[in-house]
Amino acid sequence: MRFPSSSVLALGLIGPALAYPKPGATKRGSPNPTRAAAVKAAFQTSWNAYHHFAFPHDDLHPVSNSFDDERNGWGSSAIDGLDTAILMGDADIVNTILQYVPQINFTTTAVANQGSSVFETNIRYLGGLLSAYDLLRGPFSSLATNQTLVNSLLRQAQTLANGLKVAFTTPSGVPDPTVFFNPTVRRSGASSNNVAEIGSLVLEWTRLSDLTGNPQYAQLAQKGESYLLNPKGSPEAWPGLIGTFVSTSNGTFQDSSGSWSGLMDSFYEYLIKMYLYDPVAFAHYKDRWVLGADSTIGHLGSHPSTRKDLTFLSSYNGQSTSPNSGHLASFGGGNFILGGILLNEQKYIDFGIKLASSYFGTYTQTASGIGPEGFAWVDSVTGAGGSPPSSQSGFYSSAGFWVTAPYYILRPETLESLYYAYRVTGDSKWQDLAWEALSAIEDACRAGSAYSSINDVTQANGGGASDDMESFWFAEALKYAYLIFAEESDVQVQATGGNKFVFNTEAHPFSIRSSSRRGGHLA
Ligand SMILES: *[C@@H]1O[C@H](CO)[C@@H](O)[C@H](O)[C@H]1NC(C)=O
Ligand SMILES: *[C@@H]1O[C@H](CO)[C@@H](O)[C@H](O)[C@H]1NC(C)=O
Ligand SMILES: *[C@@H]1O[C@H](CO)[C@@H](O)[C@H](O)[C@H]1NC(C)=O
């Protein structure tokens, strides 16, 4: 089953103006097997096309039925998609991928002198391998028929990390953003890295140390992170809101600008997720998240001049803010909600719900029903932000933003925040909004053999397919979409505490550190 718009209309989910939640209409949600099955079917359609036309290359180009190897050529869609197939209980796909894992040569790339992003390689491959290992040794152990193949997940993760760790051989220990595997393992020699790429390694590398018993991985990642937790050089804009670029030679900050979007996003995300992983060992990370979260509420939350009911997150340069944001920052709602759950602080949950609702508003306002990559507005208090281009002034009056980058590449962040909003409120309206988003994606992005990136969300048909299906479609978008309708399980986020898993920034769930290890030597 697909996600026909007609069914959404029939269910009365699209209101005349704004479809997002109005107060006082709470209806208790429950698992929805029909919708969960539709998401699973979309995953199977995507996988079958990838397997037929692209496996074991990285991404399928679903219109031309060709492929690319932009993620080192190790089969990123297969490794990124494995744990989603596990959660969906598709044993055929799981075992197809498991049999492939031992065949990957993580010590080299087919193409000589191809730079590998340490960040992308970490969150997709290392994250995917470790998550599958935790799930298949934990709540989904019945899916794996061959323990040798399960063990190879961890062995391969370690092989990969043993190559990647050359990134940390800088004078400061701040990782280099790029490494090479062929013809020799080496790092690029970059003079700086950004805080997202420095600060989104610590969860994966700490988990790898805990699983292998080798403390070196955690030590390397935590050393790099230490420069972000105790910032020196160019000052913080506000307490906890740090700059973007850090010197690899001495670990000092080179600027005081940032946002909750690219280059910075998952640094903030991981501060509170490390606390979920082990609240004793990573209490300081939580303190830094609280500082940044409070400064964000105080200084970055911004209401558009034409829609004061909306809250978006401005970017900052020192204490000067700019009202622009984008799809990547849409994860912020979910991250605030998670922080609110873990710290039992309603103010973070309330702010997170406002963000989730407002960023979903960028979906409901476009002709395609999908939010754009980038957008801007005028801040209702400071007047910062200039004015919209004349072609969009009417749109800005009603929507509260104008589009600065119109494309959509199957990104997951809005679905992710709808998922957290549903888990914390239990209100079925969030499930309905996720279904509405999925229906729009089905209508505009279903192309060729699978699902494709599109050029222009402001056109009803999406402005044409740009012929790429990124691996995060498998790993993240379809996973959060599935979980919002799926049965309760140990993997689901628990609103009242007792969480057993923590999702990395690519939506790969890891078992949290068991209490017997808490406060151990690794941190
Ligand atoms: C992996 O590639 C390296 C470098 O080309 C090679 O030396 C090694 O034998 C390969 N390993 C396997 C298992 O094929
Ligand atoms: C498990 O997989 C390994 C590696 O592919 C293979 O050598 C072995 O025969 C398999 N074992 C069983 C019982 O199928
Ligand atoms: C750190 O290194 C950067 C270059 O990466 C340089 O501009 C800066 O002056 C250095 N700071 C200190 C305190 O050495």
Side-chain angles (χ1 to χ4, degrees):
M1 190 192 144
R2 303 252 177 92
F3 311 99
S5 296
S6 54
S7 67
V8 177
L9 288 168
L11 288 166
L13 300 180
I14 297 179
L18 293 173
Y20 48 91
K22 297 173 181 61
T26 303
K27 186 168 149 285
R28 200 86 208 141
S30 55
N32 186 321
T34 308
R35 289 177 176 181
V39 179
K40 183 173 174 179
F43 181 91
Q44 290 167 328
T45 296
S46 303
W47 170 264
N48 289 340
Y50 164 76
H51 190 249
H52 189 75
F53 294 110
F55 177 80
H57 295 281
D58 285 343
D59 286 0
L60 170 68
H61 296 182
V63 179
S64 56
N65 289 326
S66 56
F67 54 79
D68 69 64
D69 282 322
E70 67 169 3
R71 298 285 166 229
N72 318 333
W74 295 325
S76 60
S77 290
I79 304 305
D80 233 5
L82 173 56
D83 62 2
T84 305
I86 292 170
L87 295 180
M88 290 176 172
D90 191 318
D92 283 349
I93 297 177
V94 169
N95 284 296
T96 298
I97 300 171
L98 278 182
Q99 276 160 29
Y100 165 63
V101 168
Q103 299 166 29
I104 305 170
N105 192 338
F106 280 117
T107 70
T108 191
T109 56
V111 178
N113 301 310
Q114 179 185 28
S116 299
S117 161
V118 175
F119 167 81
E120 298 286 357
T121 304
N122 172 67
I123 65 173
R124 301 191 201 210
Y125 286 106
L126 203 60
L129 293 166
L130 293 175
S131 166
Y133 183 72
D134 271 340
L135 293 172
L136 291 174
R137 294 202 326 150
F140 294 85
S141 58
S142 64
L143 274 176
T145 48
N146 184 328
Q147 198 54 43
T148 310
L149 294 175
V150 174
N151 291 338
S152 94
L153 292 165
L154 182 60
R155 192 171 45 74
Q156 287 285 53
Q158 194 162 7
T159 299
L160 174 56
N162 288 343
L164 279 179
K165 74 184 180 189
V166 72
F168 293 98
T169 60
T170 59
S172 63
V174 168
D176 194 309
T178 309
V179 298
F180 300 87
F181 291 88
N182 179 357
T184 54
V185 176
R186 63 198 194 280
R187 63 181 181 85
S188 77
S191 62
S192 69
N193 196 353
N194 63 73
V195 297
E197 301 195 26
I198 300 165
S200 313
L201 304 169
V202 63
L203 179 59
E204 293 81 0
W205 289 57
T206 300
R207 184 77 197 132
L208 181 61
S209 277
D210 286 356
L211 287 170
T212 59
N214 179 348
Q216 185 193 24
Y217 308 110
Q219 286 163 355
L220 288 170
Q222 289 172 26
K223 166 83 176 171
E225 179 88 17
S226 69
Y227 296 99
L228 313 184
L229 298 173
N230 307 291
K232 305 247 164 35
S234 189
E236 293 172 88
W238 284 282
L241 295 182
I242 60 178
T244 299
F245 291 101
V246 180
S247 162
T248 53
S249 57
N250 56 38
T252 61
F253 275 84
Q254 302 183 328
D255 66 283
S256 301
S257 63
S259 71
W260 279 70
S261 198
L263 305 182
M264 187 148 273
D265 41 13
S266 42
F267 157 69
Y268 292 122
E269 178 184 353
Y270 275 25
L271 292 177
I272 197 67
K273 287 185 167 179
M274 291 310 290
Y275 176 73
L276 169 55
Y277 186 68
D278 183 338
V280 175
F282 300 104
H284 182 53
Y285 287 59
K286 176 262 295 175
D287 294 340
R288 293 294 302 174
W289 185 88
V290 165
L291 281 178
D294 288 345
S295 291
T296 297
I297 294 172
H299 303 290
L300 303 185
S302 169
H303 310 302
S305 57
T306 55
R307 286 290 306 275
K308 299 191 179 80
D309 57 312
L310 301 178
T311 304
F312 295 131
L313 296 174
S314 291
S315 58
Y316 56 91
N317 184 356
Q319 295 198 343
S320 160
T321 59
S322 299
N324 59 67
S325 190
H327 205 290
L328 283 168
S330 186
F331 88 98
N335 194 241
F336 269 87
I337 292 169
L338 178 64
I341 290 171
L342 298 177
L343 304 175
N344 200 16
E345 276 280 7
Q346 191 63 34
K347 68 176 174 180
Y348 299 136
I349 294 174
D350 292 344
F351 190 72
I353 296 241
K354 268 191 222 164
L355 294 178
S357 175
S358 301
Y359 280 84
F360 180 74
T362 68
Y363 276 56
T364 54
Q365 295 292 328
T366 65
S368 66
I370 300 173
E373 176 73 6
F375 59 91
W377 64 96
V378 178
D379 183 274
S380 63
V381 175
T382 66
S387 53
S390 54
S391 60
Q392 293 193 61
S393 59
F395 179 79
Y396 176 59
S397 298
S398 55
F401 67 95
W402 64 88
V403 175
T404 57
Y407 60 90
Y408 172 67
I409 58 170
L410 303 174
R411 287 201 190 282
E413 295 79 15
T414 302
L415 288 166
E416 175 180 351
S417 286
L418 295 177
Y419 171 70
Y420 279 93
Y422 172 61
R423 293 302 301 179
V424 78
T425 62
D427 188 335
S428 64
K429 70 191 167 194
W430 298 103
Q431 293 177 305
D432 293 340
L433 300 188
W435 185 250
E436 189 179 321
L438 284 164
S439 303
I441 292 169
E442 176 71 33
D443 286 347
C445 301
R446 181 74 175 85
S449 58
Y451 293 79
S452 175
S453 51
I454 55 174
N455 294 313
D456 187 356
V457 298
T458 70
Q459 298 182 36
N461 69 356
S466 45
D467 199 16
D468 192 25
M469 185 170 72
E470 276 270 5
S471 68
F472 49 66
W473 170 245
F474 287 110
E476 300 187 74
L478 291 170
K479 184 181 288 124
Y480 287 121
Y482 179 75
L483 287 176
I484 201 169
F485 300 121
E487 298 292 328
E488 289 300 320
S489 76
D490 282 353
V491 176
Q492 296 273 19
V493 169
Q494 303 300 327
T496 52
N499 284 283
K500 295 193 171 72
F501 282 81
V502 53
F503 290 79
N504 90 338
T505 190
E506 190 79 356
H508 295 305
F510 304 156
S511 300
I512 63 169
R513 189 180 276 174
S514 61
S515 50
S516 61
R517 288 194 62 109
R518 271 187 199 154
H521 61 284
L522 288 174

